[in-house]
Amino acid sequence: MEKIKKLFQTNDSRRGSLSLTMTAAVIGIVILFNLIVGLIPQKARQIDISDTNIYEISSKSQKLAKNLKDNVTLYVLAEKDQTDDRIRTFLNKYASMSGKIKVEWIDPVLHPSALTKYNVEENTIVVSSKKTNRTTSVSFDDILVSSASYYDTSSSASQFDGDGQLTSAINYVTSTKEYKAYYTSGHGETALSSEITNLLTKSRISTEELLLLTKSSIPSDCDLLIINGATSDLTDGEIKLLSNYMKKGGKVVTLLAQTSKSMKNLYGLLEDYGMKVASGYIADTERCYQGNYYYLIPNLSVSGDMASGLSSSSVLMVNAKGMTTTDPVRDSITTETFMTTSDNGYAVTEKNQTQGTYVLGATSTETVTVKNSNGKKVKEDARLTVFGSSMLIDEQVTSSFSSLENLTLFTNAVTENLDDADNISISPKSLEVTYNTIAHPGPFSILVIFVIPLSLVIGGFIVWFKRRRR
């Protein structure tokens, strides 16, 4: 016994005891730390360190989750261990936003009847609300969007649309009101791109083509009429049709196109509502993209629903028509501008360059009295929203500049026309590497690109030279 006691009194034994004690203390601290972290809500524990912030949840989704009154269940019909980590991570973070959102994994291998019950294939998220008895589904392929290679048939995920797809699905199952938007044809208009129609669908707005020339009136189920870049003028009869539609509380969004043809009738209708289209195209020597005066970066003055989701106000207008406000045909019409050039804007024609501040986006409203389906007189707000360029939503522009908020501004303008409709459209996040460019080159660009780096090099050389001489 005495020998064992002496054994623990040696220097080596004391050092060993100290090491053992410190190890036990560290293990205890780690265990305690894990217990504390486990008590923190999951949304606070998860930090998005992905290159493209694919796990970042938009303010629109957060607002929707906060305002949920009824429970929504996300049934994930997939083998959990085989599911892409990005989808699993995002589902966990998304559901942590609200106690009203539940995620339930169903293994289709163990429970094949679930696929029949929901009439879907495996690797699908079924979103359901018992309150409204509405159900919709989101495929994993809609979340991890793949693009085929130009040279072969292989494909890889190029976009992540978890935020947009899930928020749209929850909005659908918790709401009962849906809307219908028609887009005109027959005047050289550009059909709405799939990108636009997908965004509108996310806000419960379906779209359909409308050939105005064959109609005697605007369809009764038309909640909104879109004229996207008409390059030839509307007829007198079509203008009368539009005018009657507006006088009954109709909503119209029109995007002006680059055209050499006379647009007397269409521009005349805009002037009736207080917006006079200037001759030529608009250049801006102050707010333009990398010295191209016809690539405009407008001043935005939006608020309320029109400002929803706009963080950087980075909007690009190409080959735009400009407008000036004028007295409308009726005193009951009011016009508000939300997008303009700087003071150094120019309306450029072959002969003249007229300087001024030009309107690139404006909305005219008029409160009118109409009869509803019950024959009762009610007041409705007719709205005419005009954008100076149809290139605002052109796919070539929006896909070339990933940081632009063109689509957000457009969908805000659309949903602002519709009662009880919110722009919950969220664009997919690119999984590709993006590079920043400076939108307004000038003294700042020279400072960042040349002056600062050169100053650092010279300063470093001076410090090195002085130390070398010591």
Side-chain angles (χ1 to χ4, degrees), residues 64 163-173 201-203 424:
L64 180 72
D163 196 13
Q165 292 292 337
L166 293 182
T167 299
S168 174
I170 292 177
N171 182 53
Y172 171 81
V173 300
T201 299
K202 288 179 178 179
S203 291
I424 52 86

Side-chain angles (χ1 to χ4, degrees), residues 46-111:
Q46 293 178 328
I47 302 174
D48 189 355
I49 58 174
S50 61
D51 290 339
T52 52
N53 295 325
I54 62 174
Y55 305 126
E56 180 183 355
I57 296 177
S58 66
S59 58
K60 295 178 183 179
S61 298
Q62 294 175 22
K63 179 181 178 182
L64 180 72
K66 182 180 179 181
N67 295 332
L68 279 177
K69 297 179 180 179
D70 306 311
N71 292 329
V72 175
T73 305
L74 310 182
Y75 298 101
V76 188
L77 281 72
E79 296 181 68
K80 190 172 184 179
D81 294 339
Q82 302 299 319
T83 299
D84 190 289
D85 288 340
R86 291 169 291 187
I87 294 178
R88 284 190 300 174
T89 301
F90 187 81
L91 279 171
N92 290 336
K93 186 170 184 180
Y94 193 91
S96 68
M97 287 193 301
S98 171
K100 299 290 186 180
I101 304 175
K102 308 294 182 183
V103 176
E104 183 177 330
W105 288 83
I106 302 176
D107 191 329
V109 177
L110 301 177
H111 306 281

